Amino acid sequence: QVQVQESGPGLVKPSQTLSLTCTVSGVSITTSSYAWNWIRQPPGKGLEWMGMIHSNGNRYYSSSLKSRTSISRDTSNNQFSLQLTSVTPEDTAVYYCVSQWRSSFGSWGQGTQVTVSS
């Protein structure tokens, strides 16, 4: 019943900030034991976990992306968002938002293609 859906621009210029929003339905993002993840997949490569925000608001990030990544939430709209600053073409990927209950991933969004190009 939990559904997640990504939205945001599909094209970002180098050095700018990539911003995406995930809209959640079926459960409140503040419900205990849930966490909300951003995962991406560059073309021809595997999945890369970027970060997460727990239902209690605690945030965790991949060490390789921590300096550029920020995850926030809007509880009124049951959404959480990703901001990735100073993007380069290496940030081109399909970006997914993914629900998590305790230690297990649950629902995946359909993914949204983001291309970093001038």
Side-chain angles (χ1 to χ4, degrees), residues 22-30 36 74-80:
C22 182
T23 299
V24 178
S25 63
V27 67
S28 170
I29 61 173
T30 63
W36 309 94
D74 180 350
T75 58
S76 296
N77 291 303
N78 214 39
Q79 297 175 326
F80 65 104

Side-chain angles (χ1 to χ4, degrees), residues 7-55:
S7 62
L11 182 64
V12 184
K13 290 178 166 38
S15 81
Q16 294 186 336
T17 297
L18 181 158
S19 297
L20 297 173
T21 296
C22 182
T23 299
V24 178
S25 63
V27 67
S28 170
I29 61 173
T30 63
T31 299
S32 297
S33 300
Y34 278 89
W36 309 94
N37 298 265
W38 286 103
I39 297 170
R40 69 180 183 180
Q41 185 169 33
K45 298 183 179 180
L47 297 169
E48 179 184 21
W49 180 80
M50 301 182 70
M52 65 191 303
I53 182 167
H54 285 155
S55 57

Side-chain angles (χ1 to χ4, degrees), residues 38 40 42 47-51 60-70 84-86 88 90-91:
W38 286 103
R40 69 180 183 180
L47 297 169
E48 179 184 21
W49 180 80
M50 301 182 70
Y60 301 90
Y61 302 105
S62 166
S63 60
S64 63
L65 296 170
K66 183 177 181 179
S67 66
R68 299 194 292 131
T69 306
S70 178
L84 183 68
T85 63
S86 303
T88 74
E90 292 187 12
D91 294 310

